[in-house]
């Protein structure tokens, strides 16, 4: 019942609801910021951390940072030869 009265007052007399809105916003604004940080932290540690841990265990290294043999350079030669016409129409 109280929500319906507040909604009706907000629609008919918006100036009357400005002060209660500011009070609620001042009290619950910081709570929302804290909860958003907690939700993001939980999502990170429950989703991305186990995923990265599994990839590290299986040895996935797409950038080949941890090479088994020491190399002089990380440069990889391109297999095909590029002509100037490909620069004009890239897609």
């Amino acid at each position: 019942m109280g929500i319906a009265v507040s909604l009706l007052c907000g629609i008919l007399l918006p100036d009357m609801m400005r002060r209660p809105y500011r009070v609620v916003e001042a009290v619950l604004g910081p709570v929302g910021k804290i909860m958003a940080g907690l939700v993001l932290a939980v999502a990170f540690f429950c989703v991305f951390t186990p995923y990265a841990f599994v990839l590290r265990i299986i040895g996935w290294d797409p950038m080949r940072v941890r090479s088994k043999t020491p190399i002089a350079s990380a440069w990889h030669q391109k297999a095909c030869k590029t002509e100037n016409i490909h620069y004009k129409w890239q897609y």
Side-chain angles (χ1 to χ4, degrees):
M1 181 74 181
I3 295 174
V5 172
S6 297
L7 182 64
L8 190 61
C9 286
I11 291 172
L12 298 177
L13 304 166
D15 289 335
M16 186 177 166
M17 294 303 291
R18 184 168 292 138
R19 184 169 294 172
Y21 171 77
R22 288 187 177 162
V23 169
V24 168
E25 185 67 27
V27 171
L28 296 181
V31 173
K33 289 186 183 213
I34 292 170
M35 289 303 294
L38 286 175
V39 167
L40 287 174
V42 167
F44 179 81
F45 286 112
C46 290
V47 175
F48 296 115
T49 302
Y51 179 70
F53 186 65
V54 168
L55 290 180
R56 183 170 283 245
I57 288 174
I58 64 173
W60 188 65
D61 187 19
M63 294 175 46
R64 296 182 191 100
V65 175
R66 292 182 293 279
S67 174
K68 291 181 175 107
T69 59
I71 54 174
S73 173
W75 183 265
H76 298 284
Q77 290 292 333
K78 193 171 180 182
C80 65
K81 196 170 230 180
T82 306
E83 298 175 10
N84 290 343
I85 193 74
H86 295 292
Y87 291 114
K88 193 169 186 178
W89 295 291
Q90 294 181 12
Y91 302 105

